[in-house]
Amino acid sequence: MIYIIQSNSNIIYENLATEQCLRIMVQESKGKVGVLFLWQNDNCVVIGRNQNMYTQVNIDMAKEFCTLLARRMTGGGAVYQDMGNLCFTMILPKELYNLKKSDMVIENACKSLGLNVTKSGRNDFLLKGAKFSGSAYFCNESVGMHHGTIMLDVDCNRMEQLLQVDRNKLIGNGIESVRCRVCNLRNVISHIQVKDVANVLKQGFLDIYSKYLNCSENEAMGNNGRVEQFCDVRACYEPDKRLYLNILKHFSDYNWIIGEMPNYTIKGKKKFQWGMVTIFICLSGGIKKVTIESDSLFPDFVEYVQRCLNNGITFREMKKAVSIPYLKMLDDLEILYESISNRTAPG
């Protein structure tokens, strides 16, 4: 069964909650359901799970513009969204979750619009050298999720006023400002509409995944969006009300969204291939508290390292416990952490 769902809400907290409900639905289907969720949010900034709102966003400007602030459950960096942006979420059983395939959905959709796009870095798609789409990911033992943004006609002036992108990140990408780094699809196709992109994403998703989920193309699309035997195409989704409200409460909670600016004695920052990292160390009465902020796409790993350091577990012990793909990241974090710890004066 494939579900293709378009949200009827433009409020970021409601869409994040619906996305989580859909993920739980796929997880509980035991490999029988895949979902493409398409949604738009009006005037908001969304940061990654391990980021600090105070350092990523001009909060005073956000108040002036009545911009909603939100934090998602995945990693990655801060993004500004308005109605000139389209969000997509692909949620699949673990055995079907493959980043090459989900990237292909985006690539094929763009190709069908006549756009020649390229994948860049960890999670970006570029058009004529500028970013128009960024992604983040979630995966556990039973489900995988790939979600992201596609810029059609986003207000880049407001984006630049709201986002406080680290200068080192801009320099690392060889650019001078946020506006220089991104582009809208309307810069290339002046008449393009959100529905045009939504339609090619739907087709791209079905082309790749319908054969794995017992769904032929005709059955998938149905007649006038009617529910067919193997696929459900609908304009909205009604999750379990209690579950939805509990998740909505979490995503709209101030403590989850804003958090606290870390108190620190010393700090250090470095851009690695896998993300920008800032480590704060607070020394008080012989007690050391560590906070790690990052736009890494591996938020669980970042939180694991932070938790270990605060519980007195050494990097040597961590390296014995983690899988091989994380060892290089641990080496990077250990070098940065030791360089900070060895300082005698605040940084």
Side-chain angles (χ1 to χ4, degrees):
M1 174 76 80
I2 287 180
Y3 288 82
I4 297 178
I5 296 164
Q6 290 185 257
S7 175
N8 58 1
S9 171
N10 302 131
I11 300 173
I12 179 60
Y13 310 124
E14 294 179 357
N15 282 322
L16 288 173
T18 299
E19 182 185 60
Q20 276 292 88
C21 290
L22 288 168
R23 181 185 66 79
I24 292 168
M25 180 186 74
V26 174
Q27 190 165 308
E28 293 177 345
S29 76
K30 301 186 184 302
K32 296 179 181 178
V33 171
V35 169
L36 173 64
F37 178 45
L38 300 174
W39 40 301
Q40 288 183 277
N41 302 303
D42 196 8
N43 187 27
C44 65
V45 174
V46 190
I47 64 170
R49 192 166 102 198
N50 300 136
Q51 290 191 297
N52 187 309
M53 191 68 76
Y54 295 98
T55 59
Q56 297 297 316
V57 181
N58 186 326
I59 293 179
D60 290 336
M61 195 68 71
K63 290 177 181 177
E64 181 178 331
F65 291 141
C66 298
T67 301
L68 294 180
L69 302 178
R71 182 187 302 273
R72 60 183 181 269
M73 61 170 285
T74 54
V79 291
Y80 170 71
Q81 298 178 23
D82 59 21
M83 296 301 290
N85 175 77
L86 175 65
C87 293
F88 64 86
T89 306
M90 293 176 267
I91 312 173
L92 295 152
K94 177 68 177 292
E95 58 270 23
L96 294 182
Y97 180 65
N98 180 300
L99 289 184
K100 287 185 179 179
K101 280 190 172 68
S102 57
D103 279 348
M104 199 179 299
V105 172
I106 303 165
E107 291 169 353
N108 291 348
C110 291
K111 191 178 295 183
S112 68
L113 292 169
L115 298 169
N116 183 24
V117 305
T118 56
K119 182 78 182 288
S120 175
R122 303 174 300 154
N123 60 335
D124 296 340
F125 277 99
L126 308 184
L127 180 62
K128 296 188 174 182
K131 175 180 176 178
F132 73 94
S133 176
S135 296
Y137 318 97
F138 170 86
C139 189
N140 63 18
E141 67 282 351
S142 57
V143 68
M145 184 177 83
H146 174 172
H147 64 181
T149 57
I150 295 179
M151 296 174 56
L152 286 86
D153 192 24
V154 173
D155 186 338
C156 293
N157 287 324
R158 182 164 292 190
M159 175 191 294
E160 189 165 35
Q161 289 175 292
L162 288 166
L163 299 184
Q164 299 180 152
V165 180
D166 189 281
R167 186 69 181 165
N168 291 325
K169 189 170 183 177
L170 294 175
I171 292 171
N173 286 286
I175 52 180
E176 295 182 357
S177 69
V178 177
R179 288 192 67 184
C180 294
R181 189 187 179 207
V182 300
C183 78
N184 284 305
L185 294 187
R186 281 202 185 158
N187 293 352
V188 179
I189 306 176
S190 60
H191 60 275
I192 196 167
Q193 302 291 324
V194 168
K195 65 180 181 180
D196 300 325
V197 180
N199 285 337
V200 293
L201 283 172
K202 292 176 189 177
Q203 189 62 56
F205 188 77
L206 291 169
D207 287 345
I208 289 177
Y209 292 110
S210 59
K211 59 186 175 183
Y212 298 110
L213 291 161
N214 299 321
C215 180
S216 72
E217 184 177 320
N218 290 332
E219 289 165 338
M221 295 310 293
N223 297 316
N224 300 318
R226 193 173 68 240
V227 175
E228 298 291 335
Q229 183 178 359
F230 295 112
C231 189
D232 192 348
V233 182
R234 56 174 76 177
C236 62
Y237 167 68
E238 295 294 336
D240 176 84
K241 189 172 183 180
R242 181 179 295 180
L243 174 66
Y244 170 80
L245 290 176
N246 284 337
I247 296 174
L248 178 61
K249 182 179 179 181
H250 167 74
F251 278 116
S252 54
D253 180 72
Y254 178 89
N255 291 325
W256 165 257
I257 297 168
I258 303 295
E260 296 180 355
M261 184 68 180
N263 292 319
Y264 65 92
T265 309
I266 47 178
K267 73 172 182 177
K269 178 188 297 183
K270 189 166 184 180
K271 184 179 185 295
F272 299 108
Q273 187 175 6
W274 50 272
M276 180 74 72
V277 178
T278 304
I279 298 179
F280 300 87
I281 300 177
C282 180
L283 304 171
S284 178
I287 299 174
K288 180 184 289 187
K289 181 181 178 182
V290 179
T291 302
I292 304 177
E293 294 175 8
S294 178
D295 64 358
S296 161
L297 296 172
F298 307 95
D300 289 330
F301 170 75
V302 172
E303 289 175 3
Y304 165 77
V305 175
Q306 177 178 292
R307 188 165 59 250
C308 286
L309 291 172
N310 284 317
N311 288 323
I313 298 172
T314 65
F315 279 97
R316 178 177 292 183
E317 292 171 302
M318 283 186 253
K319 289 175 184 178
K320 293 177 182 178
V322 302
S323 56
I324 291 175
Y326 293 110
L327 290 177
K328 176 62 170 66
M329 295 167 66
L330 267 180
D331 285 339
D332 290 339
L333 287 172
E334 182 177 20
I335 292 170
L336 177 58
Y337 178 77
E338 293 300 331
S339 71
I340 303 167
S341 298
N342 290 336
R343 294 181 193 166
T344 57

